[in-house]
Amino acid sequence: MKINSPLEAYKYLPQTNCGECGEATCMAFASKLIDRSGKTTDCPPLVKEKKFAKKLAELDRLLAPEIREITIGVGDRAVKIGGDDVLYRHKLTFFNKTKMFFDVTDTMDEAALVERTKKVADFRKFYVGRNLLLDGVAIRSVSNDPAKFAAAVKKVAEVGIPMIFCSFNPAVLKAGLEVAKDKNPLLYAANKDNWKEVGELALEYNVPVVVSAINDLDALKTLAKTFAEAGIKDIVLDPGTSPSGQGLKESFTNFLKIRRAGIMGDTEIAYPILALPITAWMAGISDPVSAAYWETAMAAIFTIRYGDIMILHSMEPYATLPEVHLAETIYTDPRTPVAVDSKMYKVGEPDENSPVLFTTNFALTYYTVESDLSSNGITCWLLAVDTDGIGVEAAAAGGQLTADKVKDAFEKSGFDLKKDVTHNTVIIPGLAARLQGDLEDKLDARVMVGPMDSGRLPGWFEKNWPPKQ
């Protein structure tokens, strides 16, 4: 039986509040265990004292995710897949968002191979305070030639991102492993014909492996069980991903059945699932834009429903951007507001004559305002007020944005309107206009009401800045 609350985890801790874990109390440490920001090994007494050995073993068992967590790759770019405990995000959260690997082939020209690999590695999309990335490269053996495959693997490995080796030929997979044995690639795939040889490779090189049985869940479970009994722990499931029609419906249903069984306690099939939206390019669609569109639609389907890792082809922005944005949204923790640090930020290089504005620390609000200011060349000071990650209008109505909170934010940031700027003026959001009078009293400063929408700030500044003496 899993535990999902700090109080349940607390029962297995020393309960001494010694602080050796870095937290003030054992209950605080229990909370970190539940949200996975801490590990049992962070508690020295629990690990070192023999009297807690039984509790430690039991706690580790109870905290282990229902779906096995697997690492692919090494170093800073290594990725984790699986690790989920629930079928529905609102019951806890989803962990380890869907990882996206893009294909290359061993028949590509070397320059084109390296260029596409670097394009995957260098992809960055700034979104609500973080960079969204693509995760790795799937190297497909089109030639079925071990030497050609090994050469392609070597070039991709030099770029330093996680890899999937794609071939049903054990000799090809072994050739790739020989030149990248320390890179921890994912092997794709073991099936009913090659399972023994591929399983031996996974054991010999200690790498994760995909077991594949298209539209046959009994065979898939049998393969996974056989590998687990042989000592292979890091297994990924491929139930097949049909690109259209009744086949797509069956694939979707299979994903649901596998994940539901795993979450409900069937450990023999409680592994991450691989989706293959790349099959959209095999559906007879001649137009590449239409094929990319359908691939993106399939990626969306299996991001929402339990695809832990997927292989894709199109790298056009109209395909990759929806894919990474959706994954980021689905795997955002609903328990924690998306917020920025509450402090004074610089937009450009402001000085004592630059305007001072504030907004809330809700990340989407802050970055929208910051973008509207910076993209229009407006140099200013921008204060993010702590509203528990709530936007301006809702925070002003709900009491999270008040004159006292704004004053407190100025004081904590160390910014003095009388000393750090010459105009002793602050510009407030139009949606918080009701605070103008209270702010004038609390801050002893001039308070100007800005526009309702930050997109109108450039026009507002043209008419109202600098303020009249």
Side-chain angles (χ1 to χ4, degrees), residues 339-351:
V340 300
D341 292 336
S342 177
K343 64 179 184 179
M344 182 66 77
Y345 293 87
K346 294 181 180 181
V347 180
E349 295 295 333
D351 57 24

Side-chain angles (χ1 to χ4, degrees), residues 87-265:
L87 285 171
Y88 305 105
R89 187 181 70 161
H90 66 268
K91 290 188 174 182
L92 180 63
T93 188
F94 290 150
F95 296 94
N96 299 326
K97 70 179 178 181
T98 303
K99 300 303 184 291
M100 298 182 182
F101 284 63
F102 289 78
D103 77 316
V104 297
T105 71
D106 62 357
T107 56
M108 292 175 68
D109 174 79
E110 182 179 309
L113 173 68
V114 173
E115 180 184 5
R116 183 169 169 85
T117 301
K118 287 184 176 180
K119 188 175 181 181
V120 174
D122 296 340
F123 179 92
R124 299 285 188 282
K125 175 62 174 71
F126 185 77
Y127 177 68
V128 194
R130 67 196 78 182
N131 282 316
L132 306 184
L133 309 175
L134 304 181
D135 300 291
V137 167
I139 308 167
R140 296 193 294 120
S141 175
V142 175
S143 69
N144 201 33
D145 182 335
K148 284 188 176 181
F149 188 76
V153 167
K154 186 175 181 180
K155 287 297 178 184
V156 173
E158 289 172 357
V159 178
I161 57 175
M163 298 177 287
I164 302 175
F165 293 172
C166 301
S167 176
F168 291 110
N169 184 343
V172 169
L173 294 176
K174 183 177 179 65
L177 287 167
E178 280 298 312
V179 297
K181 61 180 67 177
D182 59 342
K183 302 299 183 183
N184 193 37
L186 173 64
L187 301 185
Y188 179 91
N191 58 21
K192 63 183 179 62
D193 299 317
N194 67 4
W195 63 270
K196 186 175 182 179
E197 295 87 348
V198 175
E200 289 172 352
L201 288 175
L203 280 171
E204 179 183 352
Y205 292 91
N206 191 28
V207 293
V209 61
V210 177
V211 294
S212 177
I214 309 304
N215 289 330
D216 189 342
L217 298 188
D218 289 336
L220 189 68
K221 183 175 180 179
T222 298
L223 279 171
K225 182 180 179 181
T226 300
F227 274 40
E229 289 175 348
I232 301 170
K233 296 181 179 180
D234 292 341
I235 300 168
V236 180
L237 307 175
D238 171 27
T241 309
S242 181
S244 60
Q246 184 64 26
L248 178 57
K249 179 182 178 181
E250 290 176 1
S251 296
F252 181 77
T253 302
N254 287 338
F255 274 61
L256 294 179
K257 288 179 178 178
I258 292 170
R259 184 50 46 90
R260 185 178 292 117
I263 293 295
M264 298 303 291

Side-chain angles (χ1 to χ4, degrees), residues 7 11 31 85 91 93 112 170 227 240 274 339 398 439 442 456 459:
L7 189 59
K11 297 174 183 177
S31 297
D85 280 321
K91 290 188 174 182
T93 188
F227 274 40
L274 171 75
L439 281 170
K442 297 288 184 181
R456 299 178 183 175

